[in-house]
DNA sequence: CAGCAGAATCGAATCGGTTCGATGAAGCGC
DNA sequence: GCGCTTCATCGAACCGATTCGATTCTGCTG
């Protein structure tokens, strides 16, 4: 059922059918109706491949994220979901590409074979050859995250430095003096993942500013690693009374470690960090944290990309988000005795 | 940089370049090398659209799942990840389509515009018009889940009936007499989601078989709903000592509800159900559950689909999985006094 | 009524590949 | 040296749309 078939049945030429459907040239009301009727009867829809070949646009955007390998986090899930939904609203499909680096076969397919009009990149590294490569090519893309040199780029990012610093200040304000930092896995830190680096920076600086005693850890993206990491923390310094984490997937393990060590949260130990809100609420007590607005970020990334696709020469834009810390129930004053089990009030701190 | 450019530079015809690259006809070693060199120099890759138009295959499979709307579960995340990875191994890309029903615009695009060679459907309903429609069309697809009439279809499913029944028997063996069932949201049950229906069936039958007193609940896919649901359970019958759940996203809330009601798991209350293993391990105590092998299911679905694409006339196949219950730490004997806080052994029960 | 503007439609080229049948050259036996 | 096979390559058609320039038809003006 191709356009020629429609044309024949409607008694017009193929080009007239095309114009009738696209509206790019006027067609008499009469023939337009006749064509539409044939189209409806046969349930005709133009072939995406043929259309893409003819006008050079695939109406597809690529979503590039590292291969699962080990584990996906809930945050990534929220990104994917919101990107797909936002893209659908603009009539774009989303093609998934599991690529961590520029040289991946899957990444080459996306670009080299021109399968997509533009791309959204996740899990950005400070030095990211994918971002550099796309920038050199002038290929329309938007990063979810910032490289080390984000100027003049298209991205939507989270200010991990400020967010983690806010967590530290929150803990310091509560009187904590010995605080641990639980980062993403060591391998990701070494690879230069921006959240791991900027988060660590924010932690170190804010802790120094407040004169805290700190230790930093890398932790695998799963519950077992979280539990092991917490044991290590208490082993290294049993007087530690709080931690800040970026590691969503390890959160359950950290909680378990605390519970097995007999430390009650938040009476004996405070936990906070940067985590997608939906996941912060699944643990008990609910996590006081900077909620990653993953859905919003995905939506913003699509909006930027669509704008870039529609107006190829518009100047680069970005969004740097600094969500406030949501006060839930996992942090409390340090040095409180077991008799002082009072809950902090719920609410929201300006970010 | 198209195939004509390569042909010109290598001093051959376009068809020779095509044959040299595809190997579908012999090409002399000499010219093959010359062509390859030009290709490498220019970094040429054939256009996916043109190739798809010419040979009718897009090398893309569609992954159809309901729109996020409210929430994704961890299980879905694992499906998506494993499907993408498995597809990449067979040189297929994955196109995401957020479609719950046959009439969705996104679903129409996938099929009508021939964007994909085949499709994998998630979140199957007992009466699923998407499945029926694709079967009528003879369009290559594989369902992750079974409809009410799975005979002669292509699918990989989980035996929710047996799984939930095994959970019930496990609890009954431990001496529990009053057990609650926490299902997926009511709206999904009404829509006919297979896991919700078959799980409920398995629960009801096994409970009757063992003469248990039961109550069943629907629960929203989030922690707050889980907590509310648990309050309702204890309100309806404070003597309830165990629950079985299919609702992964509510799990954290269920635990919180128990903890706030002062019921210790597993001493006072046992929890079990059907949940992706990775998520069962994030809660404390770790959940004794039938672990959904999401990654394996995604991989199997891709394998079935690829086989179907390669051999269009092969007879329908399927995989019905019945993973064993992993004994972790969330279930224990009923009616134990608070002095009997002994932990059950870890291990695995034959499914 | 010739001439012309404007609207509606058509025909052909194009996008970038694949594939089929034809052609030419080389190698071989007799 | 002729005919035959085999191998390598070429040219053209085709996939199914879009798009540009040309054409036809109508109605209006002078």
């Amino acid at each position: 059922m191709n356009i020629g078939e429609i044309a024949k049945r409607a008694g017009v030429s193929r080009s007239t059918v095309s114009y009738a459907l696209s509206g790019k040239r006027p067609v008499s009301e009469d023939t337009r109706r006749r064509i539409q009727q044939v189209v409806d009867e046969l349930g005709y829809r133009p072939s995406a491949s043929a259309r893409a070949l003819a006008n050079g646009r695939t109406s597809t955007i690529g979503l590039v994220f590292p291969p699962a390998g080990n584990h996906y986090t809930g945050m990534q899930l929220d990104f994917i979901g919101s990107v797909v939904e936002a893209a659908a609203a603009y009539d774009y499909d989303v093609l998934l590409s599991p690529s961590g680096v520029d040289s991946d076969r899957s990444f080459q397919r996306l670009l080299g074979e021109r399968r997509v009009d533009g791309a959204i990149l996740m899990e950005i590294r400070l030095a990211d050859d994918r971002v550099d490569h796309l920038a050199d090519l002038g290929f329309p893309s938007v990063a979810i995250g910032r490289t080390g040199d984000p100027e003049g780029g298209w991205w939507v990012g989270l200010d991990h430095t400020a967010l983690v610093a806010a967590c530290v200040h929150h803990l310091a304000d509560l009187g904590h003096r010995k605080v641990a930092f639980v980062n993403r896995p060591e391998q990701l830190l070494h690879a230069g993942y921006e959240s791991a680096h900027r988060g660590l920076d924010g932690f170190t600086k804010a802790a120094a500013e407040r004169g805290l005693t700190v230790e930093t850890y890398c932790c695998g993206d799963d519950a077992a690693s979280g539990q092991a990491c917490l044991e290590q923390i208490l082993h290294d310094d049993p007087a530690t009374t709080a931690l800040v984490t970026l590691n969503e997937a390890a959160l359950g393990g950290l909680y378990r470690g605390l519970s097995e060590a007999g430390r009650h949260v938040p009476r004996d130990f405070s936990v906070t960090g940067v985590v997608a809100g939906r996941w912060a609420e699944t643990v008990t007590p609910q996590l006081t944290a900077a909620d990653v607005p993953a859905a919003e970020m995905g939506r913003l990334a699509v909006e930027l990309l669509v704008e870039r696709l529609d107006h190829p020469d518009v100047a680069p834009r970005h969004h740097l988000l600094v969500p406030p810390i949501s006060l839930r129930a996992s942090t409390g004053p340090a040095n409180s005795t077991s008799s002082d089990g009072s809950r902090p009030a719920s609410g929201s701190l300006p970010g």
Side-chain angles (χ1 to χ4, degrees), chain A residues 141 196 279:
Chain A
S141 63
W279 307 89

Side-chain angles (χ1 to χ4, degrees), chain A residues 61-64 107 110-111 116-122 124 129-145 152-156 300-309 312 316-318:
Chain A
I61 67 184
L63 182 55
V64 182
F107 194 66
L110 228 62
L111 290 198
V116 299
D117 296 337
I120 292 177
L121 272 49
M122 289 171 53
I124 300 299
D129 53 0
R130 302 171 303 170
V131 175
D132 296 343
H133 185 191
L134 293 182
D136 289 348
L137 261 50
F139 186 86
S141 63
V142 172
I144 295 186
W154 290 81
W155 50 266
V156 15
L300 287 174
V302 170
E303 281 172 12
L304 285 185
L305 183 56
V306 168
E307 181 174 336
R308 192 171 170 187
L309 288 171
R317 298 221 333 251
H318 62 256

Side-chain angles (χ1 to χ4, degrees), chain A residues 167-168 171-172 176-181 203 207 212-217 233 239-244 270:
Chain A
C167 289
V168 170
L171 293 173
H176 294 274
R177 308 299 305 159
K178 298 195 169 215
V179 178
F181 181 64
F203 180 80
L212 305 183
T213 305
V214 301
E215 194 66 64
T216 65
Y217 300 84
I233 290 172
T240 307
T241 62
L243 68 81
V244 177
S270 290

Side-chain angles (χ1 to χ4, degrees), chain A residues 228-245:
Chain A
C229 181
L230 193 107
E231 282 163 14
Q232 186 66 43
I233 290 172
L234 293 183
H235 171 266
D236 289 350
D237 186 350
T240 307
T241 62
L243 68 81
V244 177
T245 186

Side-chain angles (χ1 to χ4, degrees), chain A residues 268-315:
Chain A
D268 311 318
F269 202 101
S270 290
V271 181
T272 183
V274 181
V275 171
R278 176 148 74 92
W279 307 89
E281 291 175 359
T282 65
V283 292
T284 305
Q286 297 185 44
L287 192 73
T288 287
D291 295 351
V292 176
E296 182 187 3
M297 291 175 73
R299 188 175 51 71
L300 287 174
V302 170
E303 281 172 12
L304 285 185
L305 183 56
V306 168
E307 181 174 336
R308 192 171 170 187
L309 288 171
D310 288 346
H311 313 286
D313 294 322
V314 74

Side-chain angles (χ1 to χ4, degrees), chain A residues 18 20 24 29 34 38 47 65 143 175 178 188 196 210 215 223 251-252 309 312 348:
Chain A
S18 178
K24 295 194 179 175
E29 186 53 25
R34 199 167 63 243
V38 177
S47 146
F65 59 94
K178 298 195 169 215
L188 297 187
R210 302 294 293 255
E215 194 66 64
L251 189 57
L309 288 171
S348 182

